[in-house]
Amino acid sequence: MRTLLATLAALLLTAAPALARSAPVQLGTALNSGGIDNAPYVDALRRYDAVTPESALKFAELHPDGGRYDFAFGDRLVDWSVANRKPMHGTTLIWCYDAVLPQWLLQRSWTRDELIDVMQDHIRTVMDHFEGRVPAWDVVNEAFARDGARRDCLWQRVIGDAWIELALRAARAADSSAKLFYNETAADQPNAKFGAVEAIAADFKARGVPLDGVGLQYHLLQGDAPLQFLAEDAMRRIGALGLALHVSELDGITSTFTGTREQKLDRQAQAFQTVAAACQAVDACFRITLWGAADHWSWRGTGEMAVALDEHFAEKPGWAGIREAIRPAPLPAGQPPSAPGRPLASRAPNAGVFTVSWPASWDPEGAPVNYALEHRDADDAAWSPVASGVRGLGFSFAPGRLERQGTYRYRVRASDGSRAGVWSEEAQPIVVDRADPAPPAITPDRAPDGGGWYRDRVTLTFAGAGDPVLLDGSAGSGVDPSSVPAPSSFASTGAHTVSGIVLDRAGNASRSATATVQVDAAAPQASLACPQPVAVGEPASATWTASDAGSGLVGPANGSLPLDSSRAGTFTARYEAADVAGHRTPATCQYVVGEAPDPDPEPSPEPTASATPTATATGTPTPEPDELAGAGTAPPQQGGPATDAAAGGPAPAVRSATPTLRRASRVGRDGRMRLMLRCPAACSGRLSLRAQRRTLAARRFRAAAGQVRVVLRLAKRDRRALARKGRLAVRLAIAPDGAEPVLRRLTLRR
Ligand code: XIL
């Protein structure tokens, strides 16, 4: 049902203008001042229905001096038009274009009132003079700039915006029977300038400012016509205001086309036929005026072949094209051409520049055919014309003549010049998309690890974020997956910024998306320093410092930890620095808690067991780190102290007195050395020599109060080392059972 209605609507829409048109569209020509005395030219004029003097009725021609009008030449043209029943369209009373104004107007400076007087006097005098002979006048010509603002010219500068209205009112007062027109160039489709013309015309209609019609010039500067539906739209909108409409100046240069003369003229014929078909389709459009009766009389120059008759006044294809559109000949006997093949538009979505082509139609009588192309987007109830009179097997949308946005179907039909065949099958729909896709989404592989920072590395992934729906409700062309940027990974410390765009399948680029991430690729630096020595029971603390180059430290950059010094032993203190990104760096130091050093140590005794001293106890209990390393560590504990007894284990049942070292002998060839201890009371325990994290020799001892001699023996390896170096720094650990060990530094000598 819906389809049926749509088809009916389409039929009505295409058929309506032809049915409703009350009189055929007239074909006019510019009437060149120099042509009136040229017989072939005057002959050619007879092929047109109406004339517009190209220059003879313009301001400078009729009003060459301030106080003087010159109607001699204008009268000849006007009289010719009356005598030959070619209604004249007079142009132009007031043209907003200083270059065409006479010097006397430009060289003086005018007050606003003076210039209004000049303008009104000109209009009144000229229209009075030709009253009854010139039925229509362009009162105002070309008042707007391309952007729709008022164009700069003498009238605008001195009088201001009111000049157009003042001119129209003066014209109506001068000749109430003449039709009054506004004429404009480059407003032949709904662009900004057209919008300004439409708006002022609507305003004038609403306020009763006299205006009867609008002329749209079609000087086709690229040679091609606007898309037909756009030309029709402009014409229809003027008609909708209750105004008459004409194509006031049609010409089209051909030097912009490639190919042979024939190909250029065929292309021009397509342009002319398209404009003519648009005019034919709009009731308000009553005339098409070619701006030149023949190429050699055209202001574009003969070489441009800009109008419809050639320099021999022969009909060019454009002439036939216009006639076909506005003066369909009575149907000849015979059959219409066949339906062309199904048109093919490039299936790739595009931004409006592409070609629709089709397989040829054939005409049973062998007549040459031309084609009409129509399109319909997703929400169009009816087809609308793109181009008429195409004399080839394709039509190209081009920059300056882009297809609208939407999802379009195309159909085409052939005409043999008087009879149109049936429509082809519809082309597959094609997406025309000029809307930019959304900027891509950029997503990190995880949430930041802390405080907005990523620890070690982060990967950012791009993804398409959609392509807007088109005006006809159809989907855009969609993000082109191959345009999505590859992921970026960052693994160095600092802020990293990525940015990227995506393209949609029609080639439109999104705005750039940007994301910045902060990566902390390095753990903090941390160090911990333990005091040495620590006496049992004496308060002590280790100090730490930390730093972090990236995310920064959690907590302060330095501080101290209290150490447990309640008992003797070797302990490890532990501190852990942490950064905001979640890195942790442990730092440890070891400390030895021992007896307070003897404030008055006994002098080192000389060896007694041999003639030469064999070893010297140094009396300083300071441990050396390398000797203590590996003595034990505590489990990690962030930011706080951890201590652990190095020589732990269950306390023995008997508690020994702690002996002191009295003497140490040199090391003999056999590796033996004697140590003399003195026990204040009964003592037992273990003696050991340690160096480089190794125990060199060890021996238990047990004695009553008094002297005790312990012999230790070095292994071969250490004897050799001693022989080589001459001396060895070692630690003597005196570990009484059940009591804290005591460490002594010793230098072994041979
Ligand atoms: C042109 C004529 O064709 C030229 O011969 C003359 O030198 C300048 O004017 N728009 C108009 C027309 O309104 O009056 C112009 O005619 C072309 C542009």
Side-chain angles (χ1 to χ4, degrees), residues 427-482:
Q428 288 293 317
I430 182 158
V431 175
V432 179
D433 180 359
R434 277 187 290 282
D436 297 341
I442 304 177
T443 316
D445 54 5
R446 63 187 191 280
D449 296 298
W453 289 79
Y454 291 91
R455 188 171 61 245
D456 297 335
R457 156 185 284 267
V458 63
T459 298
L460 298 171
T461 305
F462 288 81
D467 195 30
V469 165
L470 302 175
L471 273 180
D472 64 350
S474 64
S477 59
V479 173
D480 178 353
S482 71

Side-chain angles (χ1 to χ4, degrees), residues 182 196-206 209 211 214 238 241 243:
Y182 177 89
V197 172
E198 182 186 36
I200 201 172
D203 175 53
F204 288 169
K205 288 300 281 184
V209 177
L211 178 68
V214 167
I238 297 299
L241 297 173
L243 294 168

Side-chain angles (χ1 to χ4, degrees), residues 32 54-55 58 91-92 95 100 138 141-142 183 185 217 219 249 291 299:
N32 195 287
E54 191 172 340
S55 300
K58 287 174 179 168
T91 195
T92 174
W95 188 352
V100 297
D138 286 335
N141 194 29
E142 298 176 358
N183 193 43
T185 187
Q217 305 174 22
H219 294 292
E249 304 173 18
W291 205 240
W299 71 318

Side-chain angles (χ1 to χ4, degrees), residues 3 72 92 102 146 164 196 217 233 236 252 260 290 299 316 389 501 520 578 610 620 637 680 692:
T3 341
T92 174
R146 185 169 290 273
I164 301 178
Q217 305 174 22
D233 186 28
R236 222 170 248 127
T260 61
L290 280 155
W299 71 318
K316 291 157 59 183
I501 60 158
D520 186 343
S610 68
T620 335
Q637 179 189 328
Q692 308 291 345

Side-chain angles (χ1 to χ4, degrees), residues 198-346:
E198 182 186 36
I200 201 172
D203 175 53
F204 288 169
K205 288 300 281 184
R207 293 192 297 112
V209 177
L211 178 68
D212 301 304
V214 167
L216 297 179
Q217 305 174 22
Y218 279 74
H219 294 292
L220 305 177
L221 297 179
Q222 297 301 319
D224 282 321
L227 297 174
Q228 189 174 325
F229 61 92
L230 293 178
E232 282 186 19
D233 186 28
M235 293 177 186
R236 222 170 248 127
R237 282 159 65 171
I238 297 299
L241 297 173
L243 294 168
L245 181 281
H246 67 143
V247 174
S248 56
E249 304 173 18
L250 174 63
D251 60 21
I253 58 175
T254 55
S255 59
T256 50
F257 298 145
T258 53
T260 61
R261 180 177 189 273
E262 282 61 38
Q263 288 167 327
K264 291 178 177 197
L265 295 185
D266 276 355
R267 183 107 175 249
Q268 179 184 56
Q270 170 188 322
F272 286 178
Q273 191 166 339
T274 296
V275 174
C279 177
Q280 173 69 25
V282 176
D283 292 348
C285 188
F286 66 93
R287 183 183 299 161
I288 296 169
T289 296
L290 280 155
W291 205 240
D295 285 341
H296 56 307
W297 290 93
S298 156
W299 71 318
R300 297 299 189 197
T302 311
E304 281 292 357
M305 307 184 290
V307 291
L309 298 178
D310 71 12
E311 72 268 37
H312 308 294
F313 297 106
E315 292 174 8
K316 291 157 59 183
W319 180 273
I322 294 171
R323 300 292 297 197
E324 180 183 346
I326 63 175
R327 293 290 167 76
L331 284 184
Q335 290 175 22
S338 69
R342 186 187 208 185
L344 213 120
S346 150

Side-chain angles (χ1 to χ4, degrees), residues 170-196:
R172 180 65 91 231
D175 179 353
S176 59
S177 65
K179 298 293 181 201
L180 309 182
F181 279 76
Y182 177 89
N183 193 43
E184 187 57 271
T185 187
D188 51 17
Q189 52 187 311
N191 53 24
K193 193 193 273 191
F194 174 82

